[in-house]
Amino acid sequence: MSQFMDSEENTPLLNDDSGSDDSQNDEYKSRWRSIRVMYFTMFLSSVGFTIVITSVWPYLQKIDDSANASFLGWVVAAYSLGQMLASPLFGLWSNHRPRREPLACSIFINVTANIYYSYVYLPTSQNKYHMLMSRALVGFGAGNVAVVRSYVAGATSLKERNSAMANTSACQALGFILGPALQAGLSFIGEQGVSVKVIDLQLNMYTAPALLAALFGVINILLVVLVLREHQVDDYGRHIRAINYVSEERMDVSQETEGNIDHVAVLTSNVLFFIIMFIFAVFETIATPLSMDMFSWTRKDAVLYNGIILSCVGFESILVFLLVKVLSQRIGDRPVLLGGLAIIFCGFFVLLPWGNHYPAIQWADLKNYTVIHETFAPIPAFAPTPVSNSSFEPTGCPAEQTWCQYTPAIHLAQFLTADVLIGAGYPACNVISYTLYSKILGSKPQGVYMGWLTASGSGARTLGPVFVSQVYTILGPRWAFSLICVMVLGAILLLGALYHKLISFAVRHGRILEFDIEDVWSRTKR
């Protein structure tokens, strides 16, 4: 056991085949080459999502005056709703056909949807619904995450899986870093940008990121078609015949795949993953509106600053993945998951408003300025001077959000501290959820099961933005973040109650022994 841990500790983040006895074997090399294509697919998928996430709200405001923060929740949720519907379908497809088929199809849909997103300003009316549809299609194309995770789980041994799953999530985090960074860089094009009359395109800070994501998708399709090969191994790393090439009835099932899956553990994992994704969806959705309300940032400032912040959070995630790879081998997956949830709780607790400093109110004009002054309170010193110029962009907390009048402002230090804490807890929970889930399933084909896990996460990303946009708009950040804290506590209690159920398939059936933490440390000292 100590030798196993030592070998994993000395493995660099993306150097999966370091020190392997089979490193010269062609099949082994092909297997890891294909896994790295999956890493890259996850990376590009993440870039394609995060490259526009900080600009969705200001873009929506620009193309359709009728759009409000509540509709923003639906736009953000549309991505996850599309992914939720697509994930089980692509997972089922990947169980019975070569994985390059669902992958190429899903990426093509993603490319088309990003191009659509770049043209949603063209219609003369109902532009917000075109944006809603484009984001739903982008999400549908992102249903390939289930295929990527199931491939990596099926192509790695139990010993390799923690490292491979961590690498997959690390590549996702790299995309998470690069996406907002590219968006922040492209923000210097400005809202007007350049007109390309030949294709009737307005290339600006909102459309350029989506077009770049489409280009990344084309590169991804070429890699999937030209490099990816099918591989499947058992818990010990021995190659078995892939279900993608033969029917399930004709496949030779090894002893390691025999036995029943613990469906209580499967259901619990899905519920925990739903909660984890829900709370992070809340955070990423509310970051831009919250910063604009609390810090009086303009649309351009919000895109730039939140892009930088999210890039830093993504870099932090890489460090967390490195730490998780070591901790999960020393103390186990479940304690890391529990610790991650505790850190997330602290992050949202820090965001709760306190003190007697209130946000600046967004005054639309002098008339509204006077009405608010007479109705609610004296004009605060920090209120902006009314400007009659129609090009003036009001900043601050909108007066129609009545909670702005009595809810203390969230300080920038609180916001940044919460970013750091959630940026540490979320990636730990995310990678451990996938790793533990794949171990619970064993060597059985995981496409459909991974599809359901991805669907549960997508369902959370669908409901989370809608929840937070409604609660935040009507009741304010105090209620929104208090409810999230209660939800995280519920996840911690659920994990504690069913802690003994969340073990790997091989351990459950007595094929591999699982040592508790005291045994691990005693063996390590020897």
Side-chain angles (χ1 to χ4, degrees):
M1 183 69 180
S2 61
Q3 293 176 349
F4 167 71
M5 290 192 302
D6 292 339
S7 66
E8 287 294 298
E9 288 173 16
N10 296 326
T11 302
L13 185 61
L14 294 175
N15 191 22
D16 306 274
D17 51 353
S18 177
S20 172
D21 294 334
D22 300 325
S23 60
Q24 302 304 317
N25 184 279
D26 290 340
E27 193 168 20
Y28 181 88
K29 289 181 177 179
S30 175
R31 177 165 68 97
W32 281 107
R33 197 158 46 238
S34 296
I35 290 173
R36 289 188 177 100
V37 170
M38 294 294 95
Y39 291 165
F40 194 60
T41 300
M42 184 66 81
F43 167 75
L44 292 182
S45 176
S46 181
V47 169
F49 172 64
T50 59
I51 199 171
V52 300
I53 192 63
T54 60
S55 65
V56 168
W57 175 230
Y59 188 28
L60 182 61
Q61 288 181 309
K62 183 177 177 63
I63 65 173
D64 198 323
D65 293 335
S66 65
N68 54 25
S70 295
F71 193 81
L72 170 67
W74 289 105
V75 171
V76 176
Y79 175 94
S80 301
L81 179 60
Q83 189 179 52
M84 180 179 68
L85 296 175
S87 295
L89 298 178
F90 286 130
L92 180 62
W93 188 352
S94 72
N95 268 9
H96 298 281
R97 294 291 300 170
R99 289 180 177 88
R100 66 167 64 96
E101 293 181 8
L103 285 171
C105 177
S106 62
I107 298 168
F108 177 78
I109 293 172
N110 197 286
V111 170
T112 305
N114 274 302
I115 295 174
Y116 179 22
Y117 178 87
S118 300
Y119 282 95
V120 297
Y121 62 87
L122 281 180
T124 56
S125 63
Q126 306 299 323
N127 302 77
K128 63 183 181 181
Y129 294 108
H130 286 282
M131 178 181 281
L132 182 73
M133 182 61 68
S134 68
R135 292 303 294 167
L137 289 173
V138 172
F140 194 90
N144 60 22
V145 170
V147 182
V148 172
R149 297 281 187 182
S150 67
Y151 183 93
V152 173
T156 53
S157 67
L158 209 60
K159 177 181 177 180
E160 298 166 331
R161 198 162 304 157
N162 275 67
S163 177
M165 283 294 187
N167 293 344
T168 305
S169 295
C171 289
Q172 189 177 32
L174 284 172
F176 190 79
I177 295 172
L178 186 58
L182 289 172
Q183 170 70 88
L186 293 171
S187 68
F188 292 103
I189 298 176
E191 289 191 318
Q192 297 303 318
V194 180
S195 296
V196 185
K197 295 183 179 179
V198 177
I199 54 177
D200 202 14
L201 173 67
Q202 187 70 29
L203 187 65
N204 55 32
M205 60 185 282
Y206 303 126
T207 60
L211 292 173
L212 185 58
L215 176 61
F216 288 155
V218 173
I219 297 172
N220 199 359
I221 290 175
L222 293 175
L223 284 173
V224 167
V225 172
L226 298 177
V227 181
L228 183 66
R229 297 293 180 269
E230 294 293 333
H231 293 281
Q232 187 172 355
V233 300
D234 62 16
D235 286 341
Y236 300 95
R238 298 174 299 200
H239 278 79
I240 59 179
R241 298 172 66 185
I243 194 169
N244 309 73
Y245 289 143
V246 293
S247 66
E248 194 166 357
E249 290 76 20
R250 293 175 55 196
M251 186 182 69
D252 295 331
V253 181
S254 65
Q255 182 183 1
E256 285 74 18
T257 63
E258 294 176 354
N260 296 322
I261 294 174
D262 188 342
H263 287 94
V264 173
V266 169
L267 179 60
T268 302
S269 299
N270 276 273
V271 171
L272 288 173
F273 190 66
F274 176 91
I275 295 173
I276 291 166
M277 296 304 295
F278 183 94
I279 56 184
F280 187 73
V282 165
F283 183 74
E284 68 181 1
T285 301
I286 206 61
T288 299
L290 180 69
S291 60
M292 293 175 70
D293 290 349
M294 296 295 162
F295 315 133
S296 299
W297 289 348
T298 64
R299 290 194 297 266
K300 186 174 181 179
D301 288 341
V303 171
L304 175 61
Y305 298 149
N306 280 297
I308 294 172
I309 290 171
L310 289 177
S311 296
C312 293
V313 170
F315 179 75
E316 179 190 11
S317 299
I318 300 296
L319 301 179
V320 172
F321 290 131
L322 287 168
L323 181 61
V324 165
K325 288 179 67 174
V326 176
L327 285 178
S328 63
Q329 298 302 331
R330 288 192 173 275
I331 65 175
D333 296 329
R334 294 169 295 179
V336 175
L337 180 58
L338 187 62
L341 287 170
I343 293 173
I344 290 174
F345 174 82
C346 293
F348 278 99
F349 186 80
V350 165
L351 270 179
L352 293 175
W354 55 274
N356 55 9
H357 175 73
Y358 296 88
I361 306 300
Q362 181 183 124
W363 309 108
D365 51 41
L366 184 59
K367 179 179 179 180
N368 289 342
Y369 199 102
T370 305
V371 170
I372 296 295
H373 167 53
E374 293 176 352
T375 305
F376 292 101
I379 299 173
F382 50 78
T385 303
V387 179
S388 58
N389 189 349
S390 60
S391 64
F392 172 71
E393 179 186 340
T395 59
C397 202
E400 59 267 23
Q401 295 178 171
T402 56
W403 56 263
C404 297
Q405 309 293 331
Y406 56 80
T407 301
I410 294 174
H411 301 269
L412 182 60
Q414 286 178 267
F415 185 68
L416 295 178
T417 301
D419 285 333
V420 172
L421 291 172
I422 296 171
Y426 168 73
C429 292
N430 183 280
V431 67
I432 290 299
S433 294
Y434 275 113
T435 303
L436 191 57
Y437 190 68
S438 68
K439 290 179 179 180
I440 290 170
L441 298 177
S443 297
K444 296 176 182 290
Q446 298 186 3
V448 175
Y449 280 102
M450 281 293 178
W452 286 119
L453 185 69
T454 303
S456 69
S458 300
R461 294 175 74 102
T462 301
L463 296 176
V466 175
F467 161 83
V468 72
S469 62
Q470 297 294 327
V471 175
Y472 176 82
T473 302
I474 299 171
L475 300 175
R478 178 172 287 160
W479 272 96
F481 300 140
S482 294
L483 291 173
I484 293 300
C485 287
V486 172
M487 185 173 290
V488 178
L489 283 177
I492 293 174
L493 293 175
L494 177 62
L495 176 58
L498 295 173
Y499 193 85
H500 64 288
K501 285 280 188 179
L502 303 179
I503 56 177
S504 73
F505 184 91
V507 171
R508 179 170 175 262
H509 291 279
R511 299 187 184 121
I512 296 178
L513 295 177
E514 180 179 60
F515 303 100
D516 58 29
I517 185 170
E518 291 80 7
D519 292 332
V520 170
W521 282 111
S522 64
R523 288 169 181 269
T524 303
K525 292 176 181 178
R526 293 176 191 172

